[in-house]
Amino acid sequence: MDVKVKKIRGTRDILPEEASLWSEVEGKIREVCRVYGFGEIRVPTFEETSLFIKTTGETTDIVEKQMYTFEDKGGRSLTLKPEGTPSVVRAYLENALFQRGKKTKLFYIERMFRQERPQKGRYREFTQFGVELIGSKSPLSDAEIISLAFTLFEKIGVKDITLRINSIGCFRCRGPFRDALKEYLKSKLPELCPDCKRRFERNPLRVLDCKEDKEKLKDAPRSTDYLCDNCKKHWKRLISVLEKLKIPFLVDHMLVRGLDYYTGPVFEFVSGKLGAQDAVGGGGRYDELIESMGGEPTPATGFAIGLDRLVMLVEKKKEERIPLWIVNIGEEAEEAGFLLMEKLRRMGVRVEMDLTGRSLKAQFREADKRNAKYVLVIGEDEIRKNKGKLKDMETGKEEEIELDEEKIKERVC
Ligand code: AMP
């Protein structure tokens, strides 16, 4: 068939079988977040473009290359949000959530938009579950959100996730590290990819993140060697607590994460089962962001997990059997069957029937295909006697049953 209008490249339709996995995962997210004391926040789909330029950072890939930015009819520059943290922090400040207590714990499940090259696990519209823990500078807060993520992975049966973690230090220790890195990169410059050559001038830390050049930069200076006393203490304590929590982690000195606002620990959750796009999520501490957006100096930490990728890792469950399928013969029986079906549905019983006037055989075939446990046959005769034939699809046994919703429910559920 030649569909006249097709979906936009990089977007996707999530069909019922997959959508039910999504709702299950979303349900577990809400459950885990409740246990950890995180409240849900829903933020707008689009924001003023300047929000992302000022926070995510002008020289990041997201802002430079990937944003869906447009001018609205009022001449304002707006952007479909490419990530959640800037919007959540804006909402935190705009709604004065800081007045409600020293610590604010928020989570979101939101659609994001980035104009990236689409491939498996990478879309132009995707969904992220994210948490933001605002108001605590303790490494235990970083451990708390990491632990939350691992509790979720366990709850949804996703195994073999590794945490890759590094500390890029605060803005004060970043200077000496950036200088040392630039000095090192100078000699490597001719070998680097064109993107990294550009990054070298504007955002040298990002060179470490480049998949293409990773191998060539193995002996690059390590950010953890340049940490100030505070950052070093924070880093050591976090690592020690993660060990105590028995969270599997790997210190990855090349991990810097792409965004400007990170300070201190940064991390990613990685799965070996995802192929090239192996990161399920990532995050880090951003102690300077809130002040830079006009708030009081407020430390914070957070992460975002991509649900498109997470759902790919969840094993599909066998579809639950439909308890009852009503097969009807003739118009009168069709209506009687329909009314009975609606009564049963109002009582919470899953019932299906065919309303397209198909033959008895075709209706049975459909009931079988949909794995119905029982089939109830209603014809004119059955209506007259107020008794239908109930067939157990597994044993093939048939019995008569009164056409009474209570009795039918009791028998099939
Ligand atoms: P990031 O903050 O860019 O590291 O994103 C965090 C997580 O969101 C990633 O680990 C992915 O799981 C997910 N994600 C990011 N970009 C995309 C995309 N274009 N398509 C699907 N998922 C994405």
Side-chain angles (χ1 to χ4, degrees), residues 62 83 114 116 121-128 257 259 262 268-269 278-283 304-310:
I62 290 182
E83 57 139 343
R114 294 184 196 172
E116 294 192 83
R122 198 207 270 153
Y123 310 100
R124 290 182 168 173
E125 179 180 13
F126 58 98
T127 304
Q128 283 185 335
R257 306 262 310 140
L259 317 179
Y262 286 122
E268 275 183 2
F269 307 109
D278 64 352
V280 180
I305 287 177
L307 286 198
D308 302 75
R309 294 187 199 167
L310 188 64

Side-chain angles (χ1 to χ4, degrees), residues 99-115:
Q99 284 175 352
R100 299 185 185 181
K102 195 156 187 291
K103 240 173 36 174
T104 308
K105 293 158 85 176
L106 300 167
F107 84 91
Y108 60 84
I109 299 174
E110 294 272 354
R111 299 274 178 119
M112 306 295 166
F113 306 85
R114 294 184 196 172
Q115 193 156 1

Side-chain angles (χ1 to χ4, degrees), residues 60 83 85 153 184 202 312 327-328 354 384 394 396:
T60 58
E83 57 139 343
T85 305
F153 298 143
Y184 165 85
R202 304 187 63 191
M312 277 161 66
V327 161
N328 59 87
D354 177 71
R384 215 170 7 84
E394 217 152 275

Side-chain angles (χ1 to χ4, degrees), residues 64-326:
E64 264 189 356
K65 302 184 197 160
Q66 300 168 354
M67 292 203 307
Y68 279 98
T69 296
F70 59 98
E71 205 173 273
D72 76 353
K73 292 200 167 59
R76 284 168 290 250
S77 178
L78 304 178
T79 294
L80 300 184
K81 65 181 180 315
E83 57 139 343
T85 305
S87 299
V88 173
V89 171
R90 180 206 44 72
Y92 164 83
L93 291 171
E94 212 169 325
N95 297 286
L97 297 185
F98 45 84
Q99 284 175 352
R100 299 185 185 181
K102 195 156 187 291
K103 240 173 36 174
T104 308
K105 293 158 85 176
L106 300 167
F107 84 91
Y108 60 84
I109 299 174
E110 294 272 354
R111 299 274 178 119
M112 306 295 166
F113 306 85
R114 294 184 196 172
Q115 193 156 1
E116 294 192 83
R117 197 164 44 79
Q119 63 181 88
K120 186 165 177 265
R122 198 207 270 153
Y123 310 100
R124 290 182 168 173
E125 179 180 13
F126 58 98
T127 304
Q128 283 185 335
F129 150 55
V131 306
E132 313 292 352
L133 196 164
I134 303 172
S136 164
K137 63 177 191 309
S138 166
L140 298 183
S141 300
D142 302 296
E144 180 178 351
I145 60 166
I146 291 171
S147 184
L148 182 157
F150 275 85
T151 305
L152 174 69
F153 298 143
E154 200 184 314
K155 275 251 175 307
I156 57 176
V158 169
K159 297 188 187 89
D160 307 320
I161 300 274
T162 305
L163 173 75
R164 287 183 184 276
I165 190 163
N166 191 20
S167 176
I168 55 173
C170 64
F171 291 154
R172 284 163 290 283
C173 23
R174 191 83 50 84
F177 172 58
R178 186 183 279 127
D179 292 345
L181 184 64
K182 272 194 104 165
E183 193 55 40
Y184 165 85
L185 289 174
K186 242 189 232 165
S187 61
K188 301 269 179 187
L189 215 50
E191 298 169 51
L192 301 183
C193 75
D195 267 351
C196 282
K197 285 192 174 112
R198 239 171 5 94
R199 287 178 186 135
F200 171 77
E201 282 304 334
R202 304 187 63 191
N203 196 347
L205 256 70
R206 289 245 40 215
V207 175
L208 293 177
D209 234 2
C210 175
K211 283 213 165 89
E212 230 173 282
D213 292 334
K214 220 169 190 127
E215 278 301 305
K216 299 172 203 155
L217 304 173
K218 271 184 171 157
D219 55 347
R222 297 173 162 189
S223 53
T224 45
D225 291 335
Y226 291 82
L227 298 181
C228 65
D229 285 348
N230 268 343
C231 287
K232 206 180 285 169
K233 223 166 105 193
H234 188 108
W235 172 238
K236 284 199 166 145
R237 186 146 177 237
L238 173 58
I239 292 298
S240 135
V241 173
L242 291 176
E243 275 165 0
K244 287 176 190 155
L245 287 170
K246 302 206 167 24
I247 287 172
F249 70 88
L250 214 119
V251 175
D252 180 351
H253 294 287
M254 307 291 273
L255 182 75
V256 292
R257 306 262 310 140
L259 317 179
D260 271 8
Y261 50 68
Y262 286 122
T263 53
V266 288
F267 54 85
E268 275 183 2
F269 307 109
V270 188
S271 160
K273 293 192 180 139
L274 282 173
Q277 300 301 317
D278 64 352
V280 180
R285 180 158 278 283
Y286 53 94
D287 286 347
E288 315 272 345
L289 178 63
I290 293 167
E291 189 181 1
S292 80
M293 288 175 72
E296 292 292 314
T298 312
T301 185
F303 69 66
I305 287 177
L307 286 198
D308 302 75
R309 294 187 199 167
L310 188 64
V311 170
M312 277 161 66
L313 296 171
V314 176
E315 254 178 61
K316 289 189 180 61
K317 277 206 198 118
K318 266 194 148 162
E319 212 196 328
E320 233 182 286
R321 294 186 76 174
I322 298 180
L324 185 63
W325 197 284
I326 298 177

